[in-house]
Coordinates of all heavy atoms in Angstrom, one line a residue:
L1 N -11.2 -6.7 -11.4 CA -10.6 -7.4 -12.5 C -9.5 -8.3 -11.9 O -9.4 -9.5 -12.3 CB -10.0 -6.6 -13.6 CG -9.2 -7.2 -14.7 CD1 -10.1 -8.1 -15.5 CD2 -8.6 -6.2 -15.6
F2 N -8.7 -7.9 -11.1 CA -7.6 -8.6 -10.5 C -8.2 -9.8 -9.6 O -7.7 -10.9 -9.8 CB -6.8 -7.6 -9.6 CG -5.6 -8.2 -8.9 CD1 -4.6 -9.0 -9.7 CD2 -5.3 -8.0 -7.6 CE1 -3.6 -9.5 -9.1 CE2 -4.2 -8.6 -7.0 CZ -3.3 -9.3 -7.7
V3 N -9.2 -9.5 -8.8 CA -9.8 -10.5 -8.0 C -10.4 -11.6 -8.9 O -10.3 -12.8 -8.6 CB -10.9 -9.8 -7.2 CG1 -11.9 -10.9 -6.6 CG2 -10.3 -9.1 -6.0
S4 N -11.1 -11.2 -10.0 CA -11.7 -12.2 -10.8 C -10.6 -13.1 -11.4 O -10.8 -14.4 -11.5 CB -12.4 -11.5 -12.0 OG -13.5 -10.7 -11.5
A5 N -9.5 -12.6 -11.9 CA -8.4 -13.4 -12.4 C -7.8 -14.3 -11.4 O -7.5 -15.5 -11.6 CB -7.3 -12.5 -13.0
L6 N -7.6 -13.8 -10.1 CA -7.1 -14.7 -9.0 C -8.0 -15.8 -8.7 O -7.5 -17.0 -8.5 CB -6.9 -13.8 -7.8 CG -5.9 -12.7 -7.8 CD1 -5.8 -12.0 -6.5 CD2 -4.5 -13.3 -8.2
I7 N -9.3 -15.6 -8.7 CA -10.3 -16.7 -8.5 C -10.2 -17.7 -9.6 O -10.1 -18.9 -9.2 CB -11.7 -16.1 -8.3 CG1 -11.8 -15.3 -7.0 CG2 -12.7 -17.2 -8.3 CD1 -13.2 -14.5 -6.9
C8 N -10.2 -17.3 -10.8 CA -10.2 -18.3 -11.9 C -8.9 -19.1 -11.9 O -8.9 -20.3 -12.0 CB -10.3 -17.5 -13.2 SG -12.0 -17.0 -13.7
A9 N -7.8 -18.4 -11.7 CA -6.4 -19.0 -11.7 C -6.4 -20.0 -10.5 O -5.9 -21.1 -10.7 CB -5.4 -18.0 -11.5
T10 N -6.9 -19.7 -9.4 CA -6.9 -20.6 -8.2 C -7.6 -21.9 -8.5 O -7.0 -23.0 -8.2 CB -7.6 -19.8 -7.0 OG1 -6.7 -18.7 -6.5 CG2 -7.7 -20.8 -5.8
F11 N -8.9 -21.8 -8.9 CA -9.6 -23.0 -9.1 C -9.2 -23.8 -10.3 O -9.3 -25.0 -10.2 CB -11.1 -22.7 -9.1 CG -11.6 -22.2 -7.7 CD1 -11.8 -20.9 -7.4 CD2 -12.0 -23.2 -6.8 CE1 -12.2 -20.6 -6.1 CE2 -12.5 -22.9 -5.6 CZ -12.6 -21.5 -5.2
I12 N -8.7 -23.2 -11.3 CA -8.2 -23.9 -12.5 C -6.9 -24.7 -12.0 O -6.7 -25.9 -12.4 CB -8.0 -23.0 -13.6 CG1 -9.3 -22.5 -14.2 CG2 -7.2 -23.8 -14.7 CD1 -9.1 -21.5 -15.3
D13 N -6.1 -24.0 -11.2 CA -4.9 -24.7 -10.7 C -5.2 -25.8 -9.8 O -4.5 -26.9 -9.9 CB -4.0 -23.7 -10.0 CG -2.5 -24.1 -10.0 OD1 -2.1 -25.0 -10.8 OD2 -1.7 -23.5 -9.2
L14 N -6.1 -25.7 -9.0 CA -6.6 -26.7 -8.1 C -7.1 -27.9 -8.9 O -6.9 -29.1 -8.5 CB -7.7 -26.3 -7.2 CG -7.2 -25.4 -6.0 CD1 -8.5 -24.8 -5.3 CD2 -6.3 -26.1 -5.0
D15 N -7.8 -27.7 -10.0 CA -8.4 -28.8 -10.8 C -7.4 -29.4 -11.8 O -7.5 -30.6 -12.0 CB -9.6 -28.2 -11.6 CG -10.8 -27.9 -10.8 OD1 -10.8 -28.4 -9.6 OD2 -11.7 -27.2 -11.2
H16 N -6.5 -28.6 -12.3 CA -5.7 -29.1 -13.5 C -4.2 -28.9 -13.3 O -3.4 -29.3 -14.2 CB -6.1 -28.4 -14.8 CG -7.6 -28.5 -15.1 ND1 -8.1 -29.6 -15.7 CD2 -8.6 -27.7 -14.9 CE1 -9.4 -29.5 -15.8 NE2 -9.7 -28.3 -15.4
F17 N -3.7 -28.4 -12.2 CA -2.4 -28.1 -11.9 C -1.7 -27.3 -13.0 O -0.6 -27.5 -13.4 CB -1.6 -29.5 -11.7 CG -2.0 -30.3 -10.5 CD1 -3.0 -31.3 -10.6 CD2 -1.4 -30.0 -9.3 CE1 -3.4 -32.0 -9.5 CE2 -1.8 -30.7 -8.2 CZ -2.8 -31.7 -8.2
E18 N -2.4 -26.3 -13.5 CA -1.9 -25.4 -14.5 C -2.7 -24.1 -14.4 O -3.8 -24.1 -14.0 CB -1.9 -26.0 -15.9 CG -3.3 -26.2 -16.4 CD -3.3 -26.7 -17.8 OE1 -2.2 -26.9 -18.4 OE2 -4.4 -26.9 -18.4
I19 N -2.1 -23.0 -14.9 CA -2.7 -21.7 -14.9 C -2.6 -21.3 -16.4 O -1.6 -21.0 -16.9 CB -2.1 -20.7 -14.0 CG1 -2.1 -21.2 -12.6 CG2 -2.9 -19.4 -14.0 CD1 -1.3 -20.2 -11.6
P20 N -3.8 -21.1 -17.1 CA -3.7 -20.7 -18.5 C -3.1 -19.3 -18.6 O -3.1 -18.5 -17.7 CB -5.2 -20.6 -18.8 CG -5.9 -21.5 -17.9 CD -5.2 -21.4 -16.6
D21 N -2.5 -19.1 -19.8 CA -1.8 -17.9 -20.0 C -2.7 -16.6 -20.0 O -2.1 -15.5 -19.7 CB -1.2 -17.9 -21.5 CG 0.1 -18.8 -21.5 OD1 0.6 -19.1 -20.4 OD2 0.5 -19.2 -22.7
V22 N -4.0 -16.7 -20.2 CA -4.8 -15.6 -20.1 C -4.8 -15.0 -18.7 O -5.0 -13.8 -18.5 CB -6.3 -15.9 -20.5 CG1 -7.0 -16.9 -19.5 CG2 -7.1 -14.7 -20.7
F23 N -4.5 -15.8 -17.6 CA -4.5 -15.4 -16.3 C -3.1 -15.1 -15.8 O -2.9 -14.8 -14.6 CB -5.2 -16.4 -15.4 CG -6.6 -16.6 -15.8 CD1 -7.0 -17.9 -16.2 CD2 -7.5 -15.6 -15.7 CE1 -8.3 -18.1 -16.6 CE2 -8.9 -15.8 -16.1 CZ -9.3 -17.1 -16.5
T24 N -2.1 -15.2 -16.7 CA -0.7 -15.0 -16.3 C -0.2 -13.9 -17.2 O -0.1 -12.7 -16.8 CB 0.1 -16.2 -16.4 OG1 0.1 -16.8 -17.7 CG2 -0.3 -17.3 -15.4
I25 N 0.1 -14.2 -18.5 CA 0.6 -13.2 -19.4 C -0.5 -12.1 -19.6 O -0.2 -10.9 -19.6 CB 1.0 -13.9 -20.7 CG1 2.2 -14.8 -20.5 CG2 1.4 -12.8 -21.8 CD1 2.5 -15.6 -21.7
G26 N -1.7 -12.5 -19.9 CA -2.8 -11.6 -20.2 C -3.0 -10.7 -19.0 O -3.2 -9.5 -19.1
L27 N -3.0 -11.2 -17.8 CA -3.2 -10.4 -16.6 C -2.0 -9.5 -16.3 O -2.3 -8.3 -15.9 CB -3.4 -11.3 -15.3 CG -3.7 -10.6 -14.0 CD1 -5.1 -9.9 -14.1 CD2 -3.7 -11.6 -12.9
G28 N -0.8 -9.9 -16.6 CA 0.4 -9.0 -16.5 C 0.2 -7.8 -17.4 O 0.5 -6.7 -17.0
V29 N -0.1 -8.1 -18.7 CA -0.2 -7.0 -19.6 C -1.3 -6.0 -19.2 O -1.1 -4.8 -19.3 CB -0.5 -7.6 -21.1 CG1 -0.9 -6.5 -22.1 CG2 0.7 -8.3 -21.6
A30 N -2.4 -6.6 -18.7 CA -3.6 -5.8 -18.3 C -3.2 -4.9 -17.1 O -3.6 -3.8 -17.0 CB -4.7 -6.6 -18.0
G31 N -2.3 -5.5 -16.3 CA -1.9 -4.8 -15.0 C -1.1 -3.6 -15.4 O -1.2 -2.4 -14.9
V32 N -0.1 -3.7 -16.4 CA 0.7 -2.6 -16.8 C -0.1 -1.5 -17.5 O 0.0 -0.3 -17.3 CB 1.8 -3.1 -17.8 CG1 2.6 -1.8 -18.4 CG2 2.8 -4.0 -17.0
I33 N -1.1 -1.9 -18.4 CA -2.0 -0.9 -19.1 C -2.8 -0.2 -18.1 O -3.0 1.1 -18.2 CB -2.8 -1.7 -20.1 CG1 -1.9 -2.2 -21.3 CG2 -3.9 -0.8 -20.7 CD1 -2.6 -3.1 -22.3
L34 N -3.5 -1.0 -17.1 CA -4.3 -0.3 -16.2 C -3.6 0.6 -15.3 O -4.0 1.6 -14.8 CB -5.1 -1.3 -15.4 CG -6.2 -2.1 -16.1 CD1 -6.8 -3.2 -15.2 CD2 -7.4 -1.1 -16.4
A35 N -2.3 0.3 -14.9 CA -1.5 1.1 -14.1 C -1.3 2.5 -14.7 O -1.3 3.5 -14.1 CB -0.2 0.5 -13.8
C36 N -1.1 2.5 -16.1 CA -0.9 3.8 -16.8 C -2.3 4.5 -16.9 O -2.3 5.7 -16.8 CB -0.4 3.5 -18.2 SG 1.3 2.8 -18.2
A37 N -3.3 3.8 -17.1 CA -4.7 4.4 -17.3 C -5.2 4.9 -15.9 O -5.9 5.9 -15.9 CB -5.6 3.5 -17.9

């Protein structure tokens, strides 16, 4: 899951100079939840 988000964020940032919140805020929330699980 982490790798998938990194790949999406990388190529979107290369194309548009921005990273959507789903790959920043969403990924951060997912990281905390998965760390507990």
